[in-house]
Amino acid sequence: MKVARFKERYGPYALIAGGSEGLGFAFAEAAARRGLNLVLLARKKERLESAAATLRETYKIDVVSIAADLADYENVKETVAALQVSIGLLVYNAAFAPIGLFENTSEEQLALAAAVNVKTPLLLTKLLSAAMIRQKRGGIVLMSSLAGAQGGPKLAAYAATKAFNAILAEGLWEELKPHGIDVLACCAGAILTPGYRQAEKTKPAPGTLDAREVAERTLKALGRKPMIVPGAVNKLGRFILTRVLSRKAAINLMSKNTRGLS
Ligand SMILES: NC(=O)c1ccc[n+]([C@@H]2O[C@H](COP(=O)([O-])OP(=O)(O)OC[C@H]3O[C@@H](n4cnc5c(N)ncnc54)[C@H](OP(=O)(O)O)[C@@H]3O)[C@@H](O)[C@H]2O)c1
């Protein structure tokens, strides 16, 4: 989609939930390159302000920064509802991944994953899509993962939350289309982000992509289909996991990849 058309369809502001680093920052840059102003939301104020300053300076756009925790939806709702800008694009990027054996995962960690990965993307989508419906245009990108295509030992809860986002996006893709709103799930494989480097202690998995590449491919796919799997290796991987193997075999294959996680 041409820059002017993208801006017309998804501008004037994009809200990137979890936009101060890694893939979130790459999404912010990809939207800025298409002429959109930004609302960036993340917890760590200093990093957020520095990301906002870089984007303002590089792309000559307006950037509003909100230091908030996506685990607290009520606060996020109040802050976002008070914004004086019109949001035409929501990218829900942030996630919390409790990794390790389920028996060793605390209730607090599970509740946090449910809040950041399920409750807030669901309700923020509800909040922002209401205004998009009134404007008869908009875009919503929800981050899913290859991990969400089947169950995975040592990341069972995280994988389930990622499956939630993919299924939510698919349903809304069809439902919101008549309102002029494009919805897309990004079902990514490994991405070189600070979060990934922290979790993955060995060498990067096959098909690992750069965050910038994932963000670019995702925004290019918005409006074209309900789900994108960035990268040929990841597309093939998902095809094998979901269409070739039995569920039992897919879970088994996944467990070989997640065995080393702790
Ligand atoms: N990395 C991968 O290999 C990979 C693979 C498949 C799918 N994904 C998906 O891609 C997305 C990005 O993952 P990532 O871990 O690599 O992250 P990232 O994009 O590198 O960074 C996470 C961003 O979200 C913010 N954030 C995290 N928790 C937050 C919270 N509770 N409230 C507000 N902001 C929060 C962080 O800033 P603060 O820390 O300052 O809050 C940061 O700006 C996730 O949805 C993940 O499931 C990642």
PDB file of all heavy atoms in Angstrom, residues 52-68:
ATOM      1  N   ALA A  52      10.898   7.630  21.937  1.00  0.00           N
ATOM      2  CA  ALA A  52      10.013   8.675  21.391  1.00  0.00           C
ATOM      3  C   ALA A  52      10.837   9.806  20.780  1.00  0.00           C
ATOM      4  O   ALA A  52      10.533  10.285  19.676  1.00  0.00           O
ATOM      5  CB  ALA A  52       9.104   9.207  22.496  1.00  0.00           C
ATOM      6  N   ALA A  53      11.909  10.199  21.468  1.00  0.00           N
ATOM      7  CA  ALA A  53      12.756  11.298  20.967  1.00  0.00           C
ATOM      8  C   ALA A  53      13.411  10.904  19.643  1.00  0.00           C
ATOM      9  O   ALA A  53      13.442  11.699  18.686  1.00  0.00           O
ATOM     10  CB  ALA A  53      13.813  11.645  22.011  1.00  0.00           C
ATOM     11  N   THR A  54      13.913   9.673  19.564  1.00  0.00           N
ATOM     12  CA  THR A  54      14.543   9.194  18.324  1.00  0.00           C
ATOM     13  C   THR A  54      13.546   9.237  17.169  1.00  0.00           C
ATOM     14  O   THR A  54      13.873   9.679  16.058  1.00  0.00           O
ATOM     15  CB  THR A  54      15.031   7.730  18.523  1.00  0.00           C
ATOM     16  OG1 THR A  54      15.903   7.703  19.633  1.00  0.00           O
ATOM     17  CG2 THR A  54      15.725   7.169  17.301  1.00  0.00           C
ATOM     18  N   LEU A  55      12.328   8.784  17.431  1.00  0.00           N
ATOM     19  CA  LEU A  55      11.316   8.723  16.359  1.00  0.00           C
ATOM     20  C   LEU A  55      10.896  10.133  15.917  1.00  0.00           C
ATOM     21  O   LEU A  55      10.730  10.380  14.719  1.00  0.00           O
ATOM     22  CB  LEU A  55      10.100   7.926  16.848  1.00  0.00           C
ATOM     23  CG  LEU A  55      10.378   6.423  17.013  1.00  0.00           C
ATOM     24  CD1 LEU A  55       9.341   5.767  17.907  1.00  0.00           C
ATOM     25  CD2 LEU A  55      10.391   5.729  15.646  1.00  0.00           C
ATOM     26  N   ARG A  56      10.754  11.045  16.878  1.00  0.00           N
ATOM     27  CA  ARG A  56      10.388  12.434  16.545  1.00  0.00           C
ATOM     28  C   ARG A  56      11.436  13.049  15.637  1.00  0.00           C
ATOM     29  O   ARG A  56      11.141  13.635  14.610  1.00  0.00           O
ATOM     30  CB  ARG A  56      10.337  13.262  17.837  1.00  0.00           C
ATOM     31  CG  ARG A  56       8.966  13.406  18.405  1.00  0.00           C
ATOM     32  CD  ARG A  56       8.975  14.277  19.660  1.00  0.00           C
ATOM     33  NE  ARG A  56       8.110  13.678  20.656  1.00  0.00           N
ATOM     34  CZ  ARG A  56       8.489  13.194  21.826  1.00  0.00           C
ATOM     35  NH1 ARG A  56       9.752  13.275  22.212  1.00  0.00           N
ATOM     36  NH2 ARG A  56       7.620  12.654  22.644  1.00  0.00           N
ATOM     37  N   GLU A  57      12.678  12.861  16.063  1.00  0.00           N
ATOM     38  CA  GLU A  57      13.821  13.458  15.372  1.00  0.00           C
ATOM     39  C   GLU A  57      13.996  12.848  13.967  1.00  0.00           C
ATOM     40  O   GLU A  57      14.174  13.569  12.985  1.00  0.00           O
ATOM     41  CB  GLU A  57      15.064  13.144  16.234  1.00  0.00           C
ATOM     42  CG  GLU A  57      16.386  13.405  15.609  1.00  0.00           C
ATOM     43  CD  GLU A  57      16.950  14.723  16.088  1.00  0.00           C
ATOM     44  OE1 GLU A  57      16.505  15.188  17.144  1.00  0.00           O
ATOM     45  OE2 GLU A  57      17.826  15.254  15.382  1.00  0.00           O
ATOM     46  N   THR A  58      13.918  11.521  13.876  1.00  0.00           N
ATOM     47  CA  THR A  58      14.169  10.843  12.597  1.00  0.00           C
ATOM     48  C   THR A  58      13.047  11.050  11.604  1.00  0.00           C
ATOM     49  O   THR A  58      13.293  11.251  10.418  1.00  0.00           O
ATOM     50  CB  THR A  58      14.359   9.321  12.836  1.00  0.00           C
ATOM     51  OG1 THR A  58      15.249   9.144  13.926  1.00  0.00           O
ATOM     52  CG2 THR A  58      14.904   8.611  11.608  1.00  0.00           C
ATOM     53  N   TYR A  59      11.800  10.973  12.068  1.00  0.00           N
ATOM     54  CA  TYR A  59      10.685  10.961  11.113  1.00  0.00           C
ATOM     55  C   TYR A  59       9.869  12.253  11.110  1.00  0.00           C
ATOM     56  O   TYR A  59       8.898  12.365  10.360  1.00  0.00           O
ATOM     57  CB  TYR A  59       9.788   9.751  11.383  1.00  0.00           C
ATOM     58  CG  TYR A  59      10.536   8.446  11.193  1.00  0.00           C
ATOM     59  CD1 TYR A  59      11.058   7.762  12.288  1.00  0.00           C
ATOM     60  CD2 TYR A  59      10.761   7.933   9.925  1.00  0.00           C
ATOM     61  CE1 TYR A  59      11.769   6.581  12.119  1.00  0.00           C
ATOM     62  CE2 TYR A  59      11.473   6.754   9.750  1.00  0.00           C
ATOM     63  CZ  TYR A  59      11.977   6.080  10.851  1.00  0.00           C
ATOM     64  OH  TYR A  59      12.693   4.918  10.671  1.00  0.00           O
ATOM     65  N   LYS A  60      10.247  13.210  11.966  1.00  0.00           N
ATOM     66  CA  LYS A  60       9.534  14.501  12.026  1.00  0.00           C
ATOM     67  C   LYS A  60       8.018  14.292  12.215  1.00  0.00           C
ATOM     68  O   LYS A  60       7.186  14.821  11.474  1.00  0.00           O
ATOM     69  CB  LYS A  60       9.773  15.348  10.758  1.00  0.00           C
ATOM     70  CG  LYS A  60      11.219  15.418  10.306  1.00  0.00           C
ATOM     71  CD  LYS A  60      12.078  16.192  11.305  1.00  0.00           C
ATOM     72  CE  LYS A  60      13.546  16.167  10.913  1.00  0.00           C
ATOM     73  NZ  LYS A  60      14.473  16.049  12.026  1.00  0.00           N
ATOM     74  N   ILE A  61       7.692  13.471  13.179  1.00  0.00           N
ATOM     75  CA  ILE A  61       6.276  13.177  13.475  1.00  0.00           C
ATOM     76  C   ILE A  61       6.016  13.521  14.939  1.00  0.00           C
ATOM     77  O   ILE A  61       6.950  13.724  15.723  1.00  0.00           O
ATOM     78  CB  ILE A  61       5.939  11.685  13.240  1.00  0.00           C
ATOM     79  CG1 ILE A  61       6.938  10.793  14.032  1.00  0.00           C
ATOM     80  CG2 ILE A  61       5.947  11.333  11.760  1.00  0.00           C
ATOM     81  CD1 ILE A  61       6.518   9.375  14.175  1.00  0.00           C
ATOM     82  N   ASP A  62       4.733  13.531  15.306  1.00  0.00           N
ATOM     83  CA  ASP A  62       4.386  13.736  16.707  1.00  0.00           C
ATOM     84  C   ASP A  62       4.391  12.370  17.411  1.00  0.00           C
ATOM     85  O   ASP A  62       3.856  11.397  16.876  1.00  0.00           O
ATOM     86  CB  ASP A  62       2.997  14.376  16.807  1.00  0.00           C
ATOM     87  CG  ASP A  62       2.612  14.681  18.246  1.00  0.00           C
ATOM     88  OD1 ASP A  62       3.529  15.003  19.047  1.00  0.00           O
ATOM     89  OD2 ASP A  62       1.412  14.590  18.592  1.00  0.00           O
ATOM     90  N   VAL A  63       5.007  12.311  18.573  1.00  0.00           N
ATOM     91  CA  VAL A  63       5.009  11.047  19.342  1.00  0.00           C
ATOM     92  C   VAL A  63       4.561  11.343  20.775  1.00  0.00           C
ATOM     93  O   VAL A  63       5.168  12.147  21.472  1.00  0.00           O
ATOM     94  CB  VAL A  63       6.411  10.395  19.368  1.00  0.00           C
ATOM     95  CG1 VAL A  63       6.348   9.044  20.088  1.00  0.00           C
ATOM     96  CG2 VAL A  63       6.972  10.215  17.962  1.00  0.00           C
ATOM     97  N   VAL A  64       3.475  10.715  21.168  1.00  0.00           N
ATOM     98  CA  VAL A  64       2.980  10.832  22.544  1.00  0.00           C
ATOM     99  C   VAL A  64       3.459   9.588  23.274  1.00  0.00           C
ATOM    100  O   VAL A  64       3.294   8.480  22.771  1.00  0.00           O
ATOM    101  CB  VAL A  64       1.427  10.861  22.551  1.00  0.00           C
ATOM    102  CG1 VAL A  64       0.889  10.953  23.965  1.00  0.00           C
ATOM    103  CG2 VAL A  64       0.902  11.977  21.672  1.00  0.00           C
ATOM    104  N   SER A  65       4.077   9.766  24.446  1.00  0.00           N
ATOM    105  CA  SER A  65       4.506   8.559  25.161  1.00  0.00           C
ATOM    106  C   SER A  65       3.699   8.384  26.450  1.00  0.00           C
ATOM    107  O   SER A  65       3.434   9.352  27.163  1.00  0.00           O
ATOM    108  CB  SER A  65       6.007   8.596  25.436  1.00  0.00           C
ATOM    109  OG  SER A  65       6.343   9.760  26.114  1.00  0.00           O
ATOM    110  N   ILE A  66       3.328   7.153  26.702  1.00  0.00           N
ATOM    111  CA  ILE A  66       2.560   6.824  27.913  1.00  0.00           C
ATOM    112  C   ILE A  66       3.321   5.757  28.688  1.00  0.00           C
ATOM    113  O   ILE A  66       3.479   4.629  28.210  1.00  0.00           O
ATOM    114  CB  ILE A  66       1.166   6.263  27.555  1.00  0.00           C
ATOM    115  CG1 ILE A  66       0.369   7.262  26.721  1.00  0.00           C
ATOM    116  CG2 ILE A  66       0.399   5.871  28.803  1.00  0.00           C
ATOM    117  CD1 ILE A  66      -0.983   6.708  26.238  1.00  0.00           C
ATOM    118  N   ALA A  67       3.779   6.126  29.880  1.00  0.00           N
ATOM    119  CA  ALA A  67       4.448   5.136  30.737  1.00  0.00           C
ATOM    120  C   ALA A  67       3.362   4.447  31.568  1.00  0.00           C
ATOM    121  O   ALA A  67       2.796   5.054  32.488  1.00  0.00           O
ATOM    122  CB  ALA A  67       5.468   5.816  31.626  1.00  0.00           C
ATOM    123  N   ALA A  68       3.031   3.224  31.208  1.00  0.00           N
ATOM    124  CA  ALA A  68       1.958   2.507  31.912  1.00  0.00           C
ATOM    125  C   ALA A  68       2.191   1.012  31.785  1.00  0.00           C
ATOM    126  O   ALA A  68       2.895   0.556  30.885  1.00  0.00           O
ATOM    127  CB  ALA A  68       0.601   2.875  31.304  1.00  0.00           C
TER     128      ALA A  68
END
